[in-house]
Amino acid sequence: MSYILSITTLACINMIAVLGLAIFTGFTGLFSFGHAAFMGIGAYVSAILTYYYGVPFPLALACGVAASSAASLIIGIPTLRARLRSDYFAIAILGFGEALRVILENLSITNGARGLPGIAPYTTLPVVVLCLGLCVIVARNFLQSRYGAACIAVREDPVAAEMSGIHLFRTRLLSLALSAAYCGLSGGLLAHYLSFIQPVMFTLVQSTQILAAVIAGGLGSISGPLVASFLFIALPEALRVAQMWRLVAYGLILVLIMLFRPQGLLGHQEISRLFKRPAGEDH
Amino acid sequence: MFLQTLFTGLSVGGIYALMAVGYSLIFSILNFSNFAHGSVIMLGAYMGLGLASKFGLKLGFVVAGAMAGGGLLAVLNERLAYRKLRHRNAPSLYLMISAMGCSVFLENMVYVTIGSRFYAFPEFFTRRVVTFLGSSVSVMDLFALAFSLLAIGALGLFLARSRTGIAVRAGVCDMTMCSLMGVDTDRLVALVFLLAGALGGLAGTFMGVRYLVYPTMGWITNKAYIAAVIGGLGSLLGAIVGGVILGVVETFISAYVSSVLRDVFSFTILVALLVCMPNGLFGKSMEERV
């Protein structure tokens, strides 16, 4: 029973990060290979605050969220203002994540590459479910607000969106900051659930797993990525498939989805009316 | 000390340039960043290692084998993971995700099948050094530098002089037009992947001889990607210049400042360069088409 509980908790924590990236990639149309870095910032900030300074858990979590959001501005402002090509942007964030990993591995407060053990295990399943529920509600409201509509317009056609008075830079930055906040929350919850964090937990592998769930679930859908992340986390865990084969499968799934079903498993279910022809056309 | 660092930097830079050329070649013709190239380089190193330690071949055969293997692997990769997307005219982002998937797949396949052990090449070069102006430079560094430049030079000549090279350059300009003029674009793309993969196999072998062979060594190729971006993706000259600059600067930083800061430094260069000069030193315009 406790095994199932722990898998459910981990899956829910992961879902929060996936939801964040779904806002950024699925609805705003920008790819990121570095969102695990934002999880890392959230995890380290909230863990360090409770570990060294005895800050109460909710406050520490909030600080982690704020810190990863602020960090997203550091990389987001210059790169989004420069209007990099989408793959260059993804690479810039990847570089940011790798640089962050090197920094985390060499600070004394993070205990370097050995990781930080003994973080108080405050995260419980009810807390996680509550957070996830709040996140889904916030995401839904955001996407239905005019900001969300602006994000979708930017994804569909940046030129047309700009013509109709949408500020490209501001819309993308807002979406990035929100998605980073989600990842920060997810990281903070993870740190206080596992009670141990290490820089290698927040590298490209983790970023790829989040991205795989978003792509597999469907770009432009909230429910799709959530289902996909549950399938990706809970199933292999429950079937006790070895960690390494899981990564092999991730790679294969990414390729197969691009080849055969680029719109994702569930497609863009919630907003299908916005699409005339889903995939396969150049923009 | 200074001269020795310079030569080490130049030889590392030469290998970076070899890898960066692979990125640039593919980028110039398909307009996407082929992340799977790193895995091709890694597998090239494994092939070279297998030839060298299992069959005890001489360096020449090892290099030739790794080049052939890398080339075939790259062609296969294109055939299975990109061709369908290409025919569908999918956005370059889809190609990139597919490439990412390939890279994750190949890397972890090696983990699962061969294991995460670090392997060393047999000693091809006894640690001989040449004394030059009072500082010692290793023969291996000189050899790697010379061979890298030779291979890139041969590629440049091939592209500039041969009929097929002209077709490749035409494809870089305009694929649609090129196919209208009777060039088989599928074969053209396969050829480009073959060339890039062969250079990747060569670079992988050099990296393996220089350091060690292990599954995540494809990560070094992130540096090659940075080098390609510094020089301007899609430009061969840019890839060479970018590779050499990055190699030399990195070696100096790790020799005189700190080897830990080296990686932070290269990624910072990458971000700063992308922001200030998205086209790199010699690249074509890369801004989002708005």
Side-chain angles (χ1 to χ4, degrees):
Chain A
M1 193 58 201
S2 69
Y3 180 64
I4 295 173
L5 273 183
S6 95
I7 287 174
T8 316
T9 314
L10 278 176
C12 288
I13 291 174
N14 206 63
M15 276 181 188
I16 295 176
V18 169
L19 196 55
L21 192 60
I23 293 172
F24 188 61
T25 296
F27 286 93
T28 318
L30 286 166
F31 277 72
S32 158
F33 292 135
H35 261 56
F38 299 127
M39 285 183 78
I41 293 170
Y44 269 97
V45 168
S46 59
I48 284 169
L49 284 179
T50 56
Y51 188 77
Y52 290 105
Y53 303 105
V55 175
F57 177 51
L59 186 60
L61 210 54
C63 288
V65 170
S68 49
S69 227
S72 77
L73 300 184
I74 297 175
I75 182 72
I77 288 176
T79 49
L80 288 175
R81 180 163 283 154
R83 286 194 178 186
L84 296 179
R85 263 176 56 119
S86 46
D87 45 349
Y88 279 27
F89 176 78
I91 279 295
I93 285 219
L94 171 67
F96 170 75
E98 287 299 300
L100 184 85
R101 177 184 58 83
V102 178
I103 292 169
L104 285 180
E105 277 177 1
N106 290 287
L107 286 179
S108 56
I109 198 163
T110 60
N111 205 16
R114 289 184 300 280
L116 205 60
I119 305 161
Y122 290 123
T123 307
T124 54
L125 186 58
V127 171
V128 175
V129 170
L130 184 72
C131 286
L132 180 61
L134 277 177
C135 285
V136 171
I137 292 169
V138 170
R140 274 189 60 98
N141 285 344
F142 173 76
L143 292 169
Q144 282 169 2
S145 72
R146 61 194 198 87
Y147 301 106
C151 288
I152 295 168
V154 167
R155 174 194 66 191
E156 287 303 292
D157 191 338
V159 184
E162 202 171 31
M163 291 293 208
S164 44
I166 291 171
H167 201 296
L168 270 187
F169 169 67
R170 227 179 280 155
T171 308
R172 286 173 168 168
L173 195 66
L174 179 68
S175 163
L176 175 64
L178 185 64
S179 70
Y182 273 58
C183 288
L185 176 64
S186 157
L189 290 171
L190 187 70
H192 289 92
Y193 182 69
L194 298 178
S195 73
F196 171 71
I197 46 174
Q198 214 182 354
V200 287
M201 289 161 64
F202 307 107
T203 51
L204 184 71
V205 173
Q206 177 68 23
S207 294
T208 313
Q209 294 185 1
I210 306 175
L211 188 62
V214 173
I215 294 169
L219 299 174
S221 155
I222 296 181
S223 48
L226 290 183
V227 172
S229 74
F230 194 79
L231 290 180
F232 278 10
I233 299 298
L235 266 188
E237 202 69 62
L239 297 175
R240 293 181 185 269
V241 178
Q243 173 80 16
M244 282 164 179
W245 283 107
R246 180 158 76 175
L247 284 172
V248 174
Y250 272 131
L252 202 59
I253 288 172
L254 277 185
V255 176
L256 291 179
I257 287 175
M258 283 302 114
L259 289 182
F260 298 109
R261 202 171 160 76
Q263 70 272 40
L265 292 179
L266 295 190
H268 16 74
Q269 197 134 353
E270 293 120 359
I271 51 152
S272 46
R273 65 181 184 282
L274 275 175
F275 284 72
K276 286 198 194 99
R277 279 180 53 201
E281 40 190 0
D282 213 319
H283 50 73
Chain B
M1 176 70 179
F2 176 83
L3 212 61
Q4 192 178 334
T5 316
L6 182 67
F7 266 99
T8 312
L10 280 177
S11 104
V12 173
I15 301 176
Y16 282 171
L18 266 184
M19 304 196 246
V21 164
Y23 277 110
S24 269
L25 260 181
I26 293 170
F27 187 92
S28 68
I29 202 149
L30 291 185
N31 224 6
F32 86 107
S33 313
N34 178 27
F35 294 122
H37 192 56
S39 307
V40 171
I41 292 170
M42 181 262 296
L43 281 164
Y46 270 98
M47 288 175 207
L49 178 79
L51 291 175
S53 55
K54 285 257 160 62
F55 302 101
L57 294 179
K58 287 263 193 307
L59 182 65
F61 291 109
V62 169
V63 164
M67 284 179 82
L72 284 180
L73 188 70
V75 170
L76 206 66
N77 178 8
E78 193 275 326
R79 190 68 189 255
L80 295 178
Y82 306 147
R83 180 169 287 190
K84 199 171 170 217
L85 287 169
R86 221 155 38 71
H87 286 177
R88 216 192 310 138
N89 259 337
S92 65
L93 214 53
Y94 286 11
L95 282 160
M96 196 176 64
I97 296 169
S98 189
M100 198 78 193
C102 286
S103 139
V104 173
F105 173 75
L106 290 173
E107 201 170 279
N108 287 287
M109 218 39 194
V110 171
Y111 254 120
V112 174
T113 51
I114 304 178
S116 55
R117 238 194 83 190
F118 285 54
Y119 292 93
F121 263 88
E123 290 265 327
F124 283 119
F125 303 90
T126 41
R127 302 269 159 220
R128 278 240 312 276
V129 288
V130 181
T131 316
F132 182 70
L133 289 178
S135 63
S136 46
V137 178
S138 88
V139 177
M140 189 187 78
D141 279 357
L142 290 178
F143 182 80
L145 177 63
F147 211 88
S148 308
L149 293 184
L150 202 71
I152 297 174
L155 175 73
L157 265 183
F158 169 75
L159 289 181
R161 295 286 162 80
S162 73
R163 240 177 103 81
T164 330
I166 293 172
V168 172
R169 283 187 294 143
V172 169
C173 283
D174 191 336
M175 278 291 255
T176 324
M177 205 55 189
C178 199
S179 80
L180 285 179
M181 302 302 279
V183 176
D184 183 346
T185 46
D186 278 346
R187 270 182 57 193
L188 191 68
V189 171
L191 174 80
V192 167
F193 270 83
L194 183 74
L195 290 173
L199 291 183
L202 178 64
T205 309
F206 279 146
M207 282 320 273
V209 171
R210 191 182 179 90
Y211 305 111
L212 291 166
V213 181
Y214 51 97
T216 45
M217 69 180 283
W219 272 113
I220 303 171
T221 57
N222 272 353
K223 300 287 182 54
Y225 184 79
I226 297 174
V229 172
I230 291 177
L233 272 169
S235 149
L236 289 194
L237 180 66
I240 300 168
V241 173
V244 171
I245 291 179
L246 190 67
V248 170
V249 169
E250 264 194 13
T251 315
F252 272 96
I253 293 231
S254 51
Y256 290 102
V257 187
S258 127
S259 57
V260 166
L261 278 182
R262 195 187 66 186
D263 288 1
V264 176
F265 179 79
S266 4
F267 286 116
T268 316
I269 289 192
L270 171 74
V271 174
L273 201 98
L274 279 176
V275 168
C276 305
M277 279 175 81
N279 306 336
L281 298 174
F282 300 94
K284 46 183 179 180
S285 178
M286 296 301 168
E287 240 184 46
E288 202 176 57
R289 284 183 205 125
V290 169

